[in-house]
Amino acid sequence: MKISKKVIISILVAAVMILSVAAIPRGGVDAATPRVMLTDYDLGGKDIYAGDTFNLKFKLKNTSKNKVMNMKCTVYSENGEFIPVDSAGTLYVAELEGEAETELSLDMQSMKNLKEKSYKLIVKTEYEDWAKSYKVEDTIYVPIRLKTEVKISETYIAEEEIRLGDNIEIISTVNNVGAADIYKVSAEVSGDCIANAECFVGNVQAGKNGNIDIITKATALGRSDRNNNVMTVTYEDVNGEVFTEEVQLGNDGKIDVIEQDYSDVIVVKEDDAKHLTDIEKLGIVIAVVVVVLVVLLVLRRMKKRKLEKDFD
């Protein structure tokens, strides 16, 4: 039995149509659900500060069973907060099999003027299959931190000569030279020759400074080559992370504390004895005169009694 050419052509056309229908995903080519989607990303595992460069790695998965082709990924930020490094921010994948996954990588740099918050990074993916083209956007959130940096101005000890038991005033300044505000700033002094003391400074905005003024006491004798005394400044960032800065007091942490000098007290007492008022001097003269008169009177009476005794 011979089969005509028309029958063979009809069979081939029918087979092609059946295969074409089988290749179309459920819901048709106009299905709203994107078939390629962002499944994971990594920002390098460390904090990103304003102005830093970081490596972005992300994974795209073809969730359908059909192959997609000519996949182009463009990474950008909404308002230019991030820019690609050494590229246009576009990546290309020739094809991605059904249910397969690919990992892409791109170096990005954050702008220096960013505030401390999370910013959006958009991944726009464009691709096509045998039927049509598709486009989808995914969002990556990048948290930006600001660097804290503090400098302590030269610390000044008000007393030139420090004696045991004296009060000591320590003055300094906390300068916030970083990009972020700092919080709960406090300062504490301690050491071999001084008592522990502290003061609370408060919050210090970026570019501003806070004053340190601490009153402590000299508690032990010490030569400047045999003791160590420090001031510790403590503060927090916006996330509550605690930082400390330590500076040496005196001459590289050395403070001379000497014995108390009581010679001034003796001199004052001697001076008090030498510097009498006119009334005090008059009182002394009268007292002396009275004493002399009393003595003379007693001697006269004694002499009179002796004469009377001899006469009898």
Side-chain angles (χ1 to χ4, degrees):
M1 178 180 176
K2 293 184 178 180
I3 301 174
S4 67
K5 291 183 179 180
K6 290 183 178 181
V7 173
I8 294 174
I9 293 173
S10 299
I11 293 173
L12 291 175
V13 170
V16 169
M17 292 179 66
I18 293 171
L19 292 174
S20 298
V21 171
I24 298 174
R26 292 181 180 179
V29 296
D30 295 325
T33 303
R35 293 180 297 176
V36 175
M37 62 184 295
L38 178 74
T39 58
D40 192 19
Y41 68 89
D42 176 46
L43 300 173
K46 61 180 182 180
D47 292 333
I48 301 173
Y49 292 89
D52 279 359
T53 297
F54 61 97
N55 179 254
L56 169 65
K57 292 181 181 179
F58 60 97
K59 293 180 180 180
L60 295 174
K61 183 175 182 179
N62 181 3
T63 60
S64 73
K65 294 183 178 181
N66 302 309
K67 179 172 66 174
V68 297
M69 300 160 290
N70 298 322
M71 188 166 66
K72 183 176 72 172
C73 296
T74 304
V75 180
Y76 65 97
S77 54
E78 290 182 314
N79 300 300
E81 296 92 351
F82 305 97
I83 59 173
V85 179
D86 299 329
S87 73
T90 301
L91 303 168
Y92 178 77
V93 178
E95 59 182 38
L96 186 62
E97 296 293 337
E99 298 183 341
E101 191 173 56
T102 184
E103 182 177 79
L104 303 174
S105 176
L106 191 66
D107 288 331
M108 303 291 294
Q109 182 174 15
S110 61
M111 295 292 97
K112 294 182 178 180
N113 60 346
L114 299 183
K115 295 181 179 180
E116 194 159 35
K117 66 176 186 178
S118 292
Y119 292 88
K120 291 181 180 180
L121 198 59
I122 309 300
V123 179
K124 182 174 72 173
T125 307
E126 299 173 272
Y127 58 93
E128 59 187 33
D129 60 8
W130 298 108
K132 61 177 292 186
S133 297
Y134 304 87
K135 180 172 69 175
V136 65
E137 290 186 353
D138 293 287
T139 301
I140 293 173
Y141 290 93
V142 182
I144 290 294
R145 297 189 63 182
L146 299 180
K147 292 182 179 180
T148 58
E149 185 178 358
V150 165
K151 288 188 177 180
I152 312 300
S153 296
E154 184 176 355
T155 304
Y156 171 69
I157 299 179
E159 288 69 26
E160 294 183 0
E161 185 178 78
I162 301 174
R163 295 184 179 274
L164 184 62
D166 283 354
N167 286 334
I168 307 171
E169 184 177 18
I170 299 173
I171 301 170
S172 189
T173 303
V174 180
N175 302 286
N176 183 0
V177 297
D181 295 349
I182 56 176
Y183 305 89
K184 299 180 182 178
V185 182
S186 63
E188 180 181 10
V189 295
S190 61
D192 298 331
C193 299
I194 59 176
N196 288 6
E198 62 180 352
C199 75
F200 182 73
V201 179
N203 302 335
V204 181
Q205 295 180 341
K208 304 293 184 180
N209 58 60
N211 296 322
I212 296 173
D213 194 344
I214 300 177
I215 302 295
T216 184
K217 185 182 289 292
T219 57
L221 298 175
R223 285 170 42 184
S224 61
D225 59 342
R226 296 182 182 177
N227 62 78
N228 186 55
N229 304 277
V230 298
M231 179 175 69
T232 304
V233 176
T234 304
Y235 60 94
E236 297 181 6
D237 65 7
V238 69
N239 298 308
E241 185 176 353
V242 179
F243 300 84
T244 58
E245 296 285 341
E246 187 174 276
V247 295
Q248 300 292 316
L249 296 176
N251 183 18
D252 292 331
K254 315 305 180 184
I255 298 177
D256 276 327
V257 179
I258 60 178
E259 287 280 9
Q260 219 23 288
D261 185 5
Y262 298 103
S263 60
D264 291 343
V265 178
I266 298 173
V267 169
V268 168
K269 290 182 177 179
E270 292 177 350
D271 289 345
D272 289 344
K274 293 177 181 178
H275 297 85
L276 300 177
T277 64
D278 292 338
I279 295 176
E280 290 173 335
K281 292 178 181 178
L282 180 60
I284 293 173
V285 171
I286 293 173
V288 172
V289 171
V290 170
V291 170
V292 171
L293 290 176
V294 171
V295 172
L296 291 176
L297 181 61
V298 171
L299 290 175
R300 183 178 180 184
R301 293 184 66 178
M302 290 177 63
K303 184 177 181 181
K304 183 178 179 181
R305 287 180 180 180
K306 184 178 180 183
L307 291 173
E308 289 176 353
K309 186 177 180 181
D310 292 339
F311 182 78
D312 292 337

